[in-house]
Amino acid sequence: MKFSELYQQALARKGGEQALKSMLPPVTGKQRLARIGDDRYLSEITRCIFKAGFVWRVIENKWPDFEAAFEGFVPAYWQQVPPEVLERLATDERIVRNMQKIRTVPENARMIMDVVKDHGSFGRFLAQWPSTDQVGLLLYLKRNGERLGGNSAQYFLRRVGWDGFILSHDVVTALTRAGILDASPASKKGLTQAQEAFNRWHEETGMPISQLSRIVSFTVDN
C-alpha cells in the first residue's frame, strides 16, 4: 500500500492538511539529542515505565515529586545506589510506591552508564542510531535495560524526540487492516514488518517516521 492512500484517509478524518500537520510530533535533531543530559534520559525512561499499566495523568501530575524523590535521576549515583535507599522510596508517598518499578532505576542507570563508557553520553548513542533500524534499538534497550519491552521503549524514544514509530493500538489496527502486519507487534517479526513499511513510506514521502506513524494512527476510528 502506498502511503498516499493512508494520508488521504487521515486528511478526511482530521479535517484537512493544516489540522493534520498541527497534530504531528516534533522531531529532535541529532545534535540536540546528543546534548540532552544522561539524567534526563533516565528520567524519561523511568516516567514511561511508571506510566505503563497506570493512569498516565497521575504520573504526570506527580512527576515533580518523582524528580525530587529520585534526586534528579543522576545515573552515576543510581547505578550503585544502596538497597536501603530503594526501600525508603518504596514507602515515599510523593511517588507511586511500586517496588518492582523502583528497582528499574538502578538497572537502567547501569545501562546508561555502560553506554556512556563507549559513546561519551547516552544522547550521542541515540543520535548515531538510524531510524531505519528502530527494531535493533528496541531490542538493545529490552536486552540491556529493565522493563523496556512492549511499548515503553517506543514511548520513551518518542518523548525525547528520537524519530521512530509507536505500535499503538490504532497503528497496529491500521497496519493489520492494510495486510502489512500479521504477527504480534511485540515480536521481532512484527516489529520488522512495521519497520519495513515505515522505511518504505519514509523513502516514498521523505517524512520523519514518527510523523508517518502518527498519520497512520489517524486512519483508525477511535
Side-chain angles (χ1 to χ4, degrees), residues 125 129-144 162 165 188 191-192 195:
F125 166 75
W129 201 294
S131 294
T132 51
D133 183 31
Q134 183 176 348
V135 175
L137 179 54
L138 292 174
L139 292 175
Y140 180 93
L141 294 172
K142 180 180 180 180
R143 182 172 63 250
N144 294 283
W162 192 87
F165 57 80
K188 185 176 180 180
L191 288 169
T192 300
Q195 182 83 73

Side-chain angles (χ1 to χ4, degrees), residues 168-213:
S168 65
H169 177 270
D170 287 349
V171 172
V172 169
T173 298
L175 294 180
T176 303
R177 186 173 61 192
I180 291 166
L181 190 66
D182 64 8
S184 166
S187 69
K188 185 176 180 180
K189 180 181 178 181
L191 288 169
T192 300
Q193 289 175 338
Q195 182 83 73
E196 289 172 350
F198 283 113
N199 288 354
R200 185 170 63 252
W201 293 333
H202 173 65
E203 291 180 6
E204 176 188 337
T205 65
M207 293 179 65
I209 288 175
S210 59
Q211 296 184 359
L212 296 170
S213 174

Side-chain angles (χ1 to χ4, degrees), residues 22 57 60 87 102 107 134 183 193 204 221:
S22 71
R57 183 178 64 256
E60 287 296 336
E87 291 168 8
I102 290 169
E107 295 293 334
Q134 183 176 348
Q193 289 175 338
E204 176 188 337
D221 292 326

Side-chain angles (χ1 to χ4, degrees), residues 19-117:
L20 181 63
K21 286 183 177 179
S22 71
M23 301 175 187
L24 299 182
V27 178
T28 300
K30 291 185 176 182
Q31 290 184 345
R32 187 171 181 276
L33 277 174
R35 289 197 300 267
I36 296 174
D38 295 325
D39 60 313
R40 294 302 85 207
Y41 284 118
L42 182 58
S43 172
E44 290 300 341
I45 286 172
T46 306
R47 191 195 308 237
C48 290
I49 288 171
F50 270 88
K51 280 183 173 181
F54 204 77
V55 180
W56 288 22
R57 183 178 64 256
V58 172
I59 302 300
E60 287 296 336
N61 290 341
K62 281 181 167 286
W63 201 250
D65 290 333
F66 270 83
E67 288 283 351
F70 285 93
E71 301 178 26
F73 290 99
V74 178
Y77 168 74
W78 286 101
Q79 70 169 339
Q80 54 189 3
V81 66
E84 56 268 24
V85 173
L86 301 181
E87 291 168 8
R88 283 200 300 271
L89 285 168
T91 63
D92 193 326
E93 295 183 356
R94 294 175 295 175
I95 67 171
V96 173
R97 292 164 288 174
N98 182 316
M99 190 57 168
Q100 289 183 325
K101 293 187 176 184
I102 290 169
R103 286 187 176 132
T104 67
V105 177
E107 295 293 334
N108 290 320
R110 282 190 280 273
M111 174 188 69
I112 288 174
M113 293 307 296
D114 286 343
V115 167
V116 169
K117 292 175 187 175

